[in-house]
Amino acid sequence: MEFWKNHVTLRISVITILFVIGLALIISGWKMTGELVGLGIMIVGVIFLLTALLVYNKPFEERKIKK
């Protein structure tokens, strides 16, 4: 996608924010040992980390040619 290739500083800041929030959620959920809420918080943290990975990989996607 051309947007993420053209706006590098925005992409880096979004990735950093998502990464920090994701790690904070995973660590805070990990501290709640034995509670189901902690597992939910950790899953949300993993979703944030995967979103950061998605934003990182977005500029490297190749466009699909429609036939």
Side-chain angles (χ1 to χ4, degrees):
M1 187 174 227
E2 295 296 321
F3 178 79
W4 292 113
K5 285 184 182 179
N6 296 335
H7 299 88
V8 177
T9 54
L10 177 65
R11 181 173 53 126
I12 291 172
S13 62
V14 167
I15 291 170
T16 305
I17 290 169
L18 288 172
F19 183 76
V20 169
I21 291 173
L23 277 182
L25 286 173
I26 289 175
I27 292 170
S28 65
W30 191 4
K31 290 181 181 178
M32 298 180 183
T33 304
E35 297 180 28
L36 194 58
V37 176
L39 177 64
I41 291 172
M42 289 173 65
I43 290 173
V44 171
V46 169
I47 290 171
F48 272 90
L49 290 177
L50 288 175
T51 306
L53 186 63
L54 176 94
V55 172
Y56 174 78
N57 285 328
K58 204 63 169 167
F60 305 111
E61 281 184 357
E62 294 182 11
R63 289 189 171 177
K64 296 179 182 174
I65 300 172
K66 295 182 180 178
K67 292 183 180 180

